């Protein structure tokens, strides 16, 4: 007698496959959101370190311009003068390359978006001039190109980094220049 053989999967086999897919999904989904969180952390550290380095450079008597205006998603630190002219790049002390951070397209931070708000007189600017004679309350001054558009940095100055529905705010104390990363 010849037995008929039916091709296909048994209910038990299908349940095992569905269970495995559920377990893999339960492990993978939190890891993906963890990756986004890490991208924000990396971006915040990069921005915070660039700001700290620029502020320290300004305390040595040099003029430093932190420029987040020229290219969206980028923050560039350059040597400057009292008028805010770009006199050439400042090199990162670790990499020895120009301190030009691409937040939006960086290998470890992309596609994080960046919104700089260096506050002065209720207006948000995207450049910060640091130097010995920038302002009487400290060394931090907002800047927007022409020398008429500058003044002492005010409270509420920060750089907000966003990825999806998450965000991190890097703040700058207008008096001390302290850069805080949550």
């Amino acid at each position: 007698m010849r037995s008929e053989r039916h091709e296909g999967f048994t209910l038990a086999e299908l349940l095992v496959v569905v269970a495995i897919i559920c377990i893999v999904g339960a492990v993978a989904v939190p890891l993906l959101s963890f990756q986004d969180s890490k991208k924000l952390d990396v971006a915040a550290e990069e921005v915070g370190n660039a700001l700290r380095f620029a502020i320290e450079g300004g305390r040595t008597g040099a003029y430093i311009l932190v420029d987040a205006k020229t290219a969206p998603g980028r923050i560039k630190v350059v040597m400057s003068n009292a008028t805010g002219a770009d006199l050439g790049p400042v090199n990162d002390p670790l990499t020895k390359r120009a301190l030009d951070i691409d937040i939006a397209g960086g290998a470890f931070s992309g596609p994080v978006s960046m919104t700089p708000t260096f506050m002065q007189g209720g207006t948000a600017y995207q450049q910060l001039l640091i130097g010995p004679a920038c302002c009487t309350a400290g060394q931090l001054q907002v800047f927007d190109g022409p020398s008429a558009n500058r003044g002492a940095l005010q409270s509420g100055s920060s750089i907000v980094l966003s990825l999806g529905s998450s965000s991190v705010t890097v703040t700058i104390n207008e008096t001390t220049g302290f850069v805080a990363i949550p």
Side-chain angles (χ1 to χ4, degrees):
M1 187 172 197
R2 195 170 184 204
S3 71
E4 284 187 38
R5 189 161 184 184
H6 295 281
E7 299 288 324
F9 298 105
T10 65
L11 180 59
E13 291 171 327
L14 288 174
L15 288 175
V16 168
V17 170
V18 168
I20 291 171
I21 290 172
C22 288
I23 291 169
V24 169
V27 171
V29 168
L31 287 177
L32 293 175
S33 66
F34 178 75
Q35 292 295 342
D36 286 351
S37 153
K38 285 297 173 193
K39 286 183 178 188
L40 275 175
D41 291 345
V42 167
E45 285 296 326
E46 287 179 334
V47 167
N49 288 339
L51 288 170
R52 288 181 186 123
F53 185 68
I55 290 168
E56 285 304 311
R59 289 183 176 144
T60 64
Y63 282 95
I64 308 289
L65 180 66
V66 177
D67 181 9
K69 178 182 177 181
T70 306
R74 293 183 88 98
I75 190 164
K76 183 169 81 167
V77 180
V78 297
M79 295 298 296
S80 187
N81 58 22
T83 64
D86 181 343
L87 301 179
V90 169
N91 289 336
D92 183 309
L94 297 175
T95 64
K96 308 297 184 218
R97 291 187 225 142
L99 196 48
D100 184 358
I101 303 167
D102 182 5
I103 297 300
F108 299 105
S109 62
V112 173
S113 65
M114 177 177 71
T115 306
T117 53
F118 301 124
M119 300 302 293
Q120 201 283 321
T123 303
Y125 293 93
Q126 295 183 338
Q127 293 178 311
L128 181 65
L129 184 61
I130 305 162
C134 285
C135 57
T136 56
Q139 300 174 328
L140 307 174
Q141 190 171 70
V142 298
F143 189 73
D144 195 31
S147 57
N149 289 346
R150 50 185 207 180
L153 185 72
Q154 294 176 337
S155 65
S157 295
S158 64
I159 296 178
V160 177
L161 303 160
S162 304
L163 181 60
S165 62
S166 301
S167 66
V168 172
T169 302
V170 178
T171 59
I172 308 160
N173 182 289
E174 69 280 2
T175 305
T176 63
F178 179 75
V179 176
I181 301 170

